[in-house]
Coordinates of all heavy atoms in Angstrom, one line a residue:
S1 N 0.9 -1.1 0.0 CA 0.0 0.0 0.0 C 0.8 1.2 0.0 O 2.1 1.2 0.2 CB -0.9 0.0 1.2 OG -0.2 0.1 2.4
G2 N 0.3 2.4 -0.3 CA 1.0 3.7 -0.2 C 1.4 4.3 -1.5 O 1.9 5.3 -1.6
G3 N 1.1 3.6 -2.6 CA 1.4 4.1 -3.9 C 0.5 5.2 -4.3 O -0.5 5.5 -3.6
G4 N 0.7 5.9 -5.3 CA -0.1 7.0 -5.8 C 0.6 7.7 -6.9 O 1.6 7.3 -7.5
L5 N 0.0 8.9 -7.3 CA 0.6 9.8 -8.2 C 1.3 10.9 -7.6 O 0.8 11.6 -6.7 CB -0.6 10.4 -9.1 CG -0.3 11.5 -10.1 CD1 0.6 10.9 -11.3 CD2 -1.6 12.0 -10.8
V6 N 2.5 11.2 -8.1 CA 3.3 12.1 -7.4 C 4.2 12.8 -8.6 O 4.5 12.3 -9.6 CB 4.3 11.5 -6.4 CG1 5.3 10.6 -6.9 CG2 5.0 12.6 -5.6
Q7 N 4.5 14.0 -8.3 CA 5.3 14.8 -9.2 C 6.8 14.5 -9.2 O 7.1 14.0 -8.0 CB 5.2 16.4 -9.1 CG 3.8 16.8 -9.4 CD 3.6 18.4 -9.4 OE1 4.4 19.0 -8.8 NE2 2.6 18.9 -10.0
P8 N 7.6 14.6 -10.2 CA 9.0 14.4 -10.1 C 9.6 15.2 -8.9 O 9.3 16.4 -8.8 CB 9.5 14.9 -11.5 CG 8.4 14.7 -12.4 CD 7.2 15.0 -11.6
G9 N 10.5 14.6 -8.2 CA 11.1 15.2 -7.0 C 10.3 15.0 -5.8 O 10.8 15.3 -4.7
G10 N 9.1 14.4 -5.9 CA 8.2 14.1 -4.7 C 8.6 12.9 -4.0 O 9.6 12.2 -4.3
S11 N 7.8 12.5 -3.0 CA 8.1 11.4 -2.1 C 6.8 10.6 -1.9 O 5.7 11.1 -2.0 CB 8.6 11.9 -0.7 OG 9.9 12.6 -0.9
L12 N 7.1 9.3 -1.7 CA 6.0 8.3 -1.3 C 6.7 7.4 -0.3 O 7.8 7.2 -0.3 CB 5.5 7.7 -2.5 CG 4.6 8.3 -3.4 CD1 4.3 7.4 -4.6 CD2 3.2 8.7 -2.8
R13 N 5.8 6.8 0.5 CA 6.2 5.8 1.5 C 5.2 4.6 1.3 O 4.1 4.7 1.5 CB 6.1 6.3 2.9 CG 6.8 5.4 4.0 CD 6.3 5.7 5.3 NE 7.2 5.1 6.4 CZ 6.9 5.0 7.7 NH1 5.7 5.4 8.1 NH2 7.6 4.4 8.5
L14 N 5.9 3.5 0.8 CA 5.1 2.3 0.7 C 5.2 1.4 1.9 O 6.2 1.4 2.6 CB 5.7 1.5 -0.5 CG 5.9 2.3 -1.8 CD1 6.3 1.3 -2.9 CD2 4.5 2.9 -2.2
S15 N 4.2 0.7 2.1 CA 4.1 -0.2 3.3 C 3.9 -1.7 2.8 O 3.1 -1.8 1.8 CB 3.0 0.1 4.2 OG 3.4 1.4 4.8
C16 N 4.5 -2.6 3.4 CA 4.2 -4.0 3.1 C 3.8 -4.7 4.4 O 4.5 -4.7 5.5 CB 5.6 -4.7 2.7 SG 5.5 -6.3 2.3
T17 N 2.5 -5.1 4.4 CA 2.0 -5.7 5.6 C 1.6 -7.2 5.4 O 1.2 -7.6 4.2 CB 0.7 -5.0 6.1 OG1 -0.3 -4.9 5.0 CG2 1.1 -3.5 6.4
P18 N 1.6 -8.1 6.3 CA 1.4 -9.4 6.2 C -0.2 -9.6 6.0 O -1.0 -9.0 6.5 CB 1.8 -10.1 7.4 CG 1.8 -9.1 8.5 CD 2.1 -7.7 7.7
S19 N -0.5 -10.7 5.2 CA -1.8 -11.2 5.1 C -1.9 -12.5 5.6 O -1.6 -13.5 4.8 CB -2.4 -11.0 3.6 OG -3.7 -11.5 3.4
G20 N -2.3 -12.6 6.8 CA -2.4 -14.0 7.4 C -1.1 -14.6 8.1 O -1.2 -15.7 8.7
F21 N 0.0 -13.9 8.0 CA 1.2 -14.3 8.7 C 2.1 -13.2 9.0 O 2.0 -12.1 8.3 CB 2.0 -15.4 7.8 CG 2.4 -14.8 6.4 CD1 3.7 -14.4 6.4 CD2 1.6 -14.7 5.4 CE1 4.3 -13.8 5.2 CE2 2.1 -14.1 4.2 CZ 3.4 -13.7 4.1
P22 N 3.0 -13.3 9.9 CA 3.8 -12.1 10.3 C 5.2 -12.1 9.4 O 5.5 -13.2 8.8 CB 4.2 -12.4 11.8 CG 4.1 -13.9 11.8 CD 3.1 -14.3 10.9
L23 N 5.7 -10.9 9.3 CA 6.9 -10.8 8.5 C 8.2 -10.8 9.4 O 9.3 -10.6 8.9 CB 6.9 -9.5 7.7 CG 5.8 -9.3 6.7 CD1 5.8 -7.9 6.1 CD2 5.9 -10.4 5.6
H24 N 8.0 -10.9 10.7 CA 9.1 -10.7 11.7 C 10.4 -11.5 11.3 O 11.5 -11.1 11.5 CB 8.7 -11.0 13.0 CG 7.6 -10.1 13.5 ND1 7.8 -8.8 13.8 CD2 6.3 -10.4 13.8 CE1 6.7 -8.3 14.3 NE2 5.7 -9.2 14.3
Y25 N 10.1 -12.8 10.8 CA 11.3 -13.7 10.7 C 11.7 -13.9 9.2 O 12.4 -14.9 9.0 CB 10.9 -15.0 11.3 CG 10.6 -15.0 12.8 CD1 9.2 -15.0 13.2 CD2 11.5 -15.0 13.7 CE1 8.9 -14.9 14.6 CE2 11.4 -14.9 15.1 CZ 10.0 -14.9 15.5 OH 9.7 -14.9 16.9
Y26 N 11.3 -13.0 8.4 CA 11.6 -13.0 7.0 C 12.4 -11.9 6.5 O 12.1 -10.7 6.9 CB 10.4 -13.2 6.2 CG 9.6 -14.4 6.6 CD1 8.4 -14.3 7.4 CD2 9.9 -15.7 6.1 CE1 7.7 -15.4 7.8 CE2 9.2 -16.8 6.5 CZ 8.0 -16.6 7.3 OH 7.2 -17.7 7.6
A27 N 13.4 -12.0 5.6 CA 13.9 -11.0 4.9 C 12.9 -10.6 3.8 O 12.2 -11.6 3.3 CB 15.2 -11.4 4.2
V28 N 12.7 -9.4 3.5 CA 11.7 -8.9 2.6 C 12.4 -8.0 1.4 O 13.2 -7.2 1.8 CB 10.6 -8.1 3.4 CG1 9.7 -7.5 2.3 CG2 9.9 -9.0 4.4
G29 N 11.9 -8.3 0.3 CA 12.4 -7.6 -0.9 C 11.3 -6.7 -1.5 O 10.1 -7.1 -1.5
W30 N 11.6 -5.5 -2.0 CA 10.8 -4.7 -2.8 C 11.2 -4.9 -4.2 O 12.3 -4.7 -4.6 CB 10.8 -3.2 -2.4 CG 10.0 -2.9 -1.2 CD1 10.5 -2.7 0.1 CD2 8.6 -2.7 -1.1 NE1 9.4 -2.5 1.0 CE2 8.3 -2.4 0.2 CE3 7.6 -2.6 -2.1 CZ2 7.0 -2.1 0.7 CZ3 6.3 -2.3 -1.6 CH2 6.0 -2.0 -0.3
F31 N 10.2 -5.0 -5.1 CA 10.4 -5.2 -6.5 C 9.5 -4.3 -7.2 O 8.5 -3.8 -6.7 CB 10.1 -6.6 -7.0 CG 10.9 -7.7 -6.2 CD1 10.6 -8.2 -4.9 CD2 12.0 -8.3 -6.7 CE1 11.2 -9.1 -4.3 CE2 12.8 -9.2 -6.1 CZ 12.3 -9.6 -4.8
R32 N 9.8 -4.0 -8.6 CA 8.8 -3.1 -9.3 C 8.9 -3.7 -10.8 O 9.8 -4.3 -11.2 CB 9.3 -1.7 -9.2 CG 10.7 -1.4 -9.9 CD 11.0 0.1 -9.6 NE 12.3 0.4 -10.2 CZ 12.9 1.5 -10.0 NH1 12.4 2.5 -9.2 NH2 14.1 1.9 -10.6
Q33 N 7.7 -3.4 -11.4 CA 7.6 -3.8 -12.7 C 6.9 -2.6 -13.5 O 5.8 -2.3 -13.2 CB 6.8 -5.0 -12.9 CG 6.7 -5.6 -14.4 CD 6.2 -7.0 -14.5 OE1 5.5 -7.4 -13.6 NE2 6.5 -7.6 -15.5

């Protein structure tokens, strides 16, 4: 979550939350396409 439309030079903060399980014990990667 956290995506949106932003002008060049702007900022956004994305969040990754678990669905049915915790993330505490996992390394997590962000990817984009």
Side-chain angles (χ1 to χ4, degrees):
S1 64
L5 175 64
V6 64
Q7 294 186 340
S11 298
L12 286 172
R13 190 192 195 199
L14 306 184
S15 297
C16 177
T17 57
S19 179
F21 66 97
L23 297 177
H24 299 288
Y25 299 100
Y26 303 100
V28 174
W30 280 98
F31 305 81
R32 66 186 180 187
Q33 186 169 22

